[in-house]
Amino acid sequence: RNSTETRTLILDSIFPAIDFSSGTAVNSTYHSRTWIFVNTSVTEVNEQNITFFLSNTTHLVNNTTFTDRTHFLNFTALPNDMNYTYNVTIYDNASHRNSTQTRLIILDAVNPSIAFSSPTNSNDSYASQDWIFVNISASDTNENYTRYYLFNLTHQVNNTNLTASARGINFTNLNGNTNYTYNVTIYDKANNSNTTGIRTITLDTTSPTSFNLLTPLNGTNTFNTTPLLDWEDTSDIYFLTYTIQ
């Protein structure tokens, strides 16, 4: 008698199962970093290989294939301030395949720009009013919101968030006789931020108290070209100067 060799045939009609797993960023999210970690969970007895694909807005950046049942990959040293998409495809030995969904991630490690702009008062200024208008110029591709802060000498008076592209706020109904400081912070969707400097403004809506000229008396005639003037002091916490006319 004679016999053939014994051959093994594996019948596999089941497609691999694959999905994203822990550590992978949620779809359409923003991150301040230069790497993208992709992790998958796989169910397949007869796995052949798995391929990770990464693309930016113009071309394929990377595709990496593993044949040793490695199910995760960290794409590193990526240019920031860029949109990326990624997915993963798995094959079994029967040529069945399955893929994850395609996810979008935005890498943004660039801080927004921000500065005070006209007609914001200059630092250490005085104004006879009970309001403070603050205006800014700002720029960021992925701007989220700006936060305006106002403080008096003892505590925070106001902090207000404004949506992207809003560029000014008017703090009203303020104490017209006190010092205030203010600044503005901008945040983008990746939580990068930047802050203006702190400016000080003194509001003073109270006129100085009246005062009397003591000497010389009213109606005095004199040939003295440098008379000595004497008067009662005025009362004003923000007193600057007297003017002789």
Side-chain angles (χ1 to χ4, degrees), residues 63-215:
N63 66 293
T64 299
T65 300
F66 294 104
T67 59
D68 59 357
R69 293 183 176 269
T70 296
H71 295 154
F72 63 89
L73 178 63
N74 194 18
F75 300 104
T76 59
L78 299 173
N80 54 44
D81 212 18
M82 180 76 70
N83 294 7
Y84 293 91
T85 55
Y86 56 91
N87 58 30
V88 188
T89 297
I90 186 170
Y91 285 86
D92 67 14
N93 290 320
S95 295
H96 300 122
R97 74 171 190 174
N98 205 352
S99 299
T100 64
Q101 67 177 139
T102 298
R103 287 190 176 179
L104 168 68
I105 184 172
I106 300 94
L107 299 187
D108 180 2
V110 179
N111 288 333
S113 65
I114 187 171
F116 289 119
S117 63
S118 178
T120 307
N121 290 86
S122 58
N123 189 35
D124 291 327
S125 59
Y126 291 78
S128 179
Q129 60 197 41
D130 63 354
W131 49 269
I132 300 171
F133 181 74
V134 181
N135 196 37
I136 61 165
S137 59
S139 177
D140 191 272
T141 303
N142 303 309
E143 182 180 341
N144 193 9
Y145 66 94
T146 49
R147 179 172 294 169
Y148 293 72
Y149 296 91
L150 179 68
F151 301 85
N152 62 19
L153 294 173
T154 60
H155 62 276
Q156 185 180 101
V157 176
N158 188 298
N159 77 80
T160 298
N161 291 349
L162 296 183
T163 56
S165 77
R167 291 292 179 258
I169 190 172
N170 194 17
F171 299 108
T172 59
N173 299 318
L174 301 175
N175 183 340
N177 292 281
T178 195
N179 294 7
Y180 290 93
T181 57
Y182 55 90
N183 67 323
V184 187
T185 299
I186 185 173
Y187 297 87
D188 67 17
K189 293 176 181 177
N191 211 35
N192 301 304
S193 64
N194 204 351
T195 303
T196 64
I198 296 174
R199 288 193 177 181
T200 298
I201 183 172
T202 301
L203 301 187
D204 180 7
T205 58
T206 302
S207 299
T209 58
S210 60
F211 64 97
N212 293 320
L213 181 65
L214 301 179
T215 60

Side-chain angles (χ1 to χ4, degrees), residues 10-94:
I10 300 172
L11 301 181
D12 182 358
S13 61
I14 300 174
F15 282 75
I18 186 171
D19 201 358
F20 290 118
S21 187
S22 62
T24 307
V26 176
N27 189 37
S28 297
T29 51
Y30 296 77
H31 299 272
S32 179
R33 63 195 191 200
T34 59
W35 52 268
I36 300 172
F37 178 75
V38 182
N39 191 24
T40 62
S41 60
V42 171
T43 303
E44 174 54 56
V45 176
N46 303 307
E47 179 178 336
Q48 183 183 80
N49 62 62
I50 186 171
T51 302
F52 293 76
F53 297 92
L54 178 69
S55 300
N56 61 21
T57 54
T58 60
H59 62 275
L60 180 69
V61 175
N62 186 298
N63 66 293
T64 299
T65 300
F66 294 104
T67 59
D68 59 357
R69 293 183 176 269
T70 296
H71 295 154
F72 63 89
L73 178 63
N74 194 18
F75 300 104
T76 59
L78 299 173
N80 54 44
D81 212 18
M82 180 76 70
N83 294 7
Y84 293 91
T85 55
Y86 56 91
N87 58 30
V88 188
T89 297
I90 186 170
Y91 285 86
D92 67 14
N93 290 320

